[in-house]
Amino acid sequence: MASTTGSSVAAAPGTPARASSDAAVPASLTELAALEAARDEKRELLERAAQVAAQGLSRGKGLPAGCTPTDLPALLRRYYWSEPAAEVLGHDPAELAALALGHLRLAEVRPQGAATVDVERAADGRAVVRIITDDMPFLVDSVTAEVVRQGIALAHVVHPIVVVTRGVTGRIEAFCDSAEAGACGPGALTESWMAVVLDGPLDDEAAADLVAGLRTVLADVRAVDEDAQRMRARVMDLAERLEQHPGAAGAEDPADDPAEAAALLRWLADGSFVFLGARDVDLAGGRGRARATERPVPGTGLGVLRSDTDMGAAAGRLPEAARAPEQHLMTVTKADARSTVH
């Protein structure tokens, strides 16, 4: 489990110079005009990129069966939709078209519930990690954290949200010019495509290690997303059981007060905490000041602890700080392992 916390920074009091309203208005209008001009330039550049992509099709480079050349302008717009104009302008139209079309071809077949990950070499020699998966929370931060964890510098991330329709084999049947699957008819899927541009090349061994690490991260992200409601329900069930616990209400230590423990769990489950994993563990022995023996219960894992294949001695062990001789109704501590989901 991991929590999310926020912080605020208070600025020191001061007496900033007061700008006249007459000067502020023209400055604001100038900034807006510059932004609008950049958007127009970006739109024109992507139109040229679509034309370059269409010319490439005439030279024998095809599209997935469910896509047609008329989809290219919309595809380029959607692919770079969230990119600031400053990140797009200055690139060659052919470069922009190649990244989007290469990603589309890689996405042609994706079985349900699977993630596609590969590493390709860009025209400038840098490596680009390409990912296709269902749209889920935690994706960008988790992926970039894994890249950094492996000691690889990244230059830029392109992260379009793409809606497609796929057949039973996972093959694309249609591309939809929308950000919402609901607007594209039955069977439409909202997918997250990511192009992580690295700050240099990768050799074959480093690329294979990165792909393997990212597959593990994406599987954990999916498990957390799919089990989110189950984990919350388990926490609420624990809160109800604590409220019925015969322990002494008003205990000196809040960790021994069932009502306090239940209230904390309900607060955590009410959007104040991000649950990444849960598992039932039986505590056996531990008389006096002897430590109890932890034994994970098969079939109870959720989120990043969903798999029963990782229930060896190390994986099933409670965090060191939680294995104190004193027994409390609730213990809040820090895990011994670094999370793969962020």
Side-chain angles (χ1 to χ4, degrees):
M1 299 181 180
S3 63
T4 56
T5 59
S7 60
S8 60
V9 178
T15 55
R18 185 183 300 275
S20 68
S21 58
D22 291 341
V25 171
S28 298
L29 292 176
T30 300
E31 292 172 359
L32 288 174
L35 287 173
E36 188 61 32
R39 292 193 193 100
D40 290 341
E41 191 175 351
K42 173 187 173 183
R43 182 167 53 251
E44 293 172 359
L45 178 59
L46 293 179
E47 288 174 355
R48 293 199 300 274
Q51 293 171 359
V52 171
Q55 293 168 2
L57 296 180
S58 65
R59 292 193 292 268
K61 297 180 180 180
L63 292 172
C67 302
T68 67
T70 58
D71 292 323
L72 291 175
L75 172 67
L76 269 294
R77 286 196 307 270
R78 290 291 170 187
Y79 195 84
Y80 295 101
W81 185 278
S82 61
E83 291 295 286
E87 296 289 349
V88 177
L89 298 179
H91 288 275
D92 187 88
E95 177 188 357
L96 297 172
L99 183 61
L101 282 184
H103 218 147
L104 175 65
R105 292 182 180 116
L106 180 66
E108 181 173 6
V109 179
R110 183 180 71 89
Q112 183 178 3
T116 300
V117 186
D118 88 338
V119 177
E120 73 156 1
R121 184 185 298 273
D124 60 4
R126 294 187 296 180
V128 180
V129 180
R130 300 180 298 180
I131 296 172
I132 302 101
T133 188
D134 295 301
D135 188 35
M136 298 176 286
F138 312 120
L139 281 172
V140 174
D141 287 347
S142 300
V143 166
T144 54
E146 176 63 15
V147 173
V148 173
R149 187 192 69 80
Q150 295 202 20
I152 302 170
L154 58 88
H156 186 60
V157 178
V158 182
H159 181 216
I161 303 300
V162 181
V163 177
V164 296
T165 301
R166 294 186 181 272
V168 294
T169 62
R171 187 175 298 277
I172 289 180
E173 295 183 340
F175 164 80
C176 181
D177 184 12
S178 174
E180 300 292 337
C184 299
L189 301 171
T190 303
E191 298 187 340
S192 182
W193 295 9
M194 293 179 64
V196 184
V197 182
L198 306 182
D199 195 21
L202 286 184
D203 59 34
D204 291 344
E205 182 179 359
D209 289 343
L210 181 57
V211 169
L214 288 173
R215 288 189 186 281
T216 298
V217 166
L218 292 170
D220 286 345
V221 168
R222 181 177 297 278
V224 169
D225 182 51
E226 292 178 348
D227 288 348
Q229 292 305 315
R230 297 185 188 95
M231 287 188 280
R232 183 181 183 278
R234 185 171 294 184
V235 171
M236 297 300 290
D237 179 64
L238 286 173
E240 292 179 6
R241 289 162 57 187
L242 281 169
E243 289 169 342
Q244 300 170 7
H245 195 279
E252 183 176 346
D253 189 336
D256 295 324
D257 186 337
E260 289 285 344
L264 176 59
L265 288 178
R266 292 186 182 279
W267 178 78
L268 294 174
D270 192 27
S272 302
F273 197 83
V274 178
F275 296 102
L276 299 183
R279 177 182 283 159
D280 291 349
V281 177
D282 283 339
L283 300 179
R287 293 183 178 180
R289 298 191 61 82
R291 286 182 174 178
T293 301
E294 305 100 26
R295 187 169 57 250
V297 179
T300 62
L302 295 173
V304 297
L305 300 176
R306 177 193 285 183
S307 175
D308 283 345
T309 61
D310 62 353
M311 292 175 60
R317 188 178 301 125
L318 293 176
E320 180 67 27
R323 290 187 276 126
E326 296 80 7
Q327 298 294 319
H328 295 292
L329 287 176
M330 174 178 289
T331 300
V332 179
T333 186
K334 183 178 180 179
D336 293 337
R338 184 180 296 273
S339 174
T340 56
V341 180
H342 301 273

